[in-house]
Amino acid sequence: MKTTPPGWYDDGHGALRWWDGTQWTEHVAQPDAESSPAPTEAEIVAGQLGFEHETAPAQAAPVAEPGVTGQPGLSAQPAYAAAPYTPGAQGYPQGAYPGAPAGGAFAAATEPRKSSKLWIVWVVLGVVLLGIVIAAAVLIPLLMLSAATAGSTGDTDDERAAVSAVELYDDAWQDGDCDALTRATTENFRVENGFTDCATFEDQAAAFNAGLDDYDIRVTDVETLGEEVVVTTEETYTEIADGDDAGSAQGSAVYEYTVVDSGDAWLIDSVVDE
């Protein structure tokens, strides 16, 4: 006589009943209603990448075959429900599909984007450009002024000494200082211009200051010509008529001073009004 091994079998009434190997028992289990399992992460990734995820066809529940009366079919086997996919379980592919970012496409799509730091570069660049503009606004006028006055103080020691002689000569006229006149000019210059004695020069200096006001001298060029240095000046003043300020007028003149080396100092030897 054939016997059926113990297990859960269909008792013919739509329920699974426990067969203990010799007879039916009172233990009955209702089969679970089939439900669609929730999509797995692999199915989600496959859907986003445009692949179709194939699912294994469900196995048909074993049907009891005719056998010994009162026993379930000998060839029937217990029904086993397909185990759901569990990430990490043996036999299933682990991780994401090849080429998918770590954490899955869903995690990559929902990950918050990192804020860009590019704006810092633009701020720094703007500050640098602003600094360049400010520096240019300050330096360009200074460079133009420097170019306009280049050579006005002399490039060599001799040229600078010649300029000093011209400035001393101007002080002599402003202050009526005969000693300054002597130290700034050659004897030949004083003889030719009638400054043979200090009294004569002091009288002319007094008349000069009485008729002119706000006298200013500006060196515009210095040039070495052989053993001489030529200093060019632009001299401006206010001319006073009869000592009355109301009748004053602005005036200017350009002079060329020829300065020579006397051996001990550079002295003015001639003055030409241009």
Side-chain angles (χ1 to χ4, degrees), residues 33 86 195 251:
T86 303
F195 304 140

Side-chain angles (χ1 to χ4, degrees), residues 61-80:
V63 181
E65 297 180 358
V68 182
T69 304
Q71 297 184 13
L74 293 177
S75 60
Q77 301 297 325
Y80 295 97

Side-chain angles (χ1 to χ4, degrees), residues 186-246:
T186 64
E187 183 177 358
N188 180 64
F189 175 83
R190 294 191 297 272
V191 171
E192 289 184 354
N193 288 276
F195 304 140
T196 55
D197 58 79
C198 287
T200 302
F201 172 72
E202 290 171 356
D203 290 342
Q204 292 191 23
F208 172 83
N209 290 318
L212 301 176
D213 194 14
D214 299 327
Y215 201 93
D216 182 68
I217 179 172
R218 184 172 66 89
V219 177
T220 58
D221 186 49
V222 181
E223 184 179 6
T224 300
L225 299 175
E227 296 180 354
E228 300 176 342
V229 176
V230 177
V231 178
T232 304
T233 65
E234 181 181 4
E235 304 180 19
T236 58
Y237 51 85
T238 301
E239 186 174 359
I240 302 174
D242 299 328
D244 186 2
D245 292 343

Side-chain angles (χ1 to χ4, degrees), residues 30-35:
Q30 294 293 336
D32 295 334
E34 293 185 0
S35 60

Side-chain angles (χ1 to χ4, degrees), residues 140-201:
I140 289 177
L142 293 178
L143 292 175
M144 294 177 63
L145 179 62
S146 176
T149 59
S152 62
T153 59
D155 297 328
T156 66
D157 291 341
D158 291 345
E159 291 182 351
R160 285 187 285 270
V163 171
S164 297
V166 173
E167 293 173 345
L168 181 61
Y169 180 73
D170 177 66
D171 292 340
W173 279 97
Q174 297 281 353
D175 302 332
D177 188 346
C178 183
D179 181 61
L181 174 70
T182 302
R183 290 186 286 111
T185 60
T186 64
E187 183 177 358
N188 180 64
F189 175 83
R190 294 191 297 272
V191 171
E192 289 184 354
N193 288 276
F195 304 140
T196 55
D197 58 79
C198 287
T200 302
F201 172 72

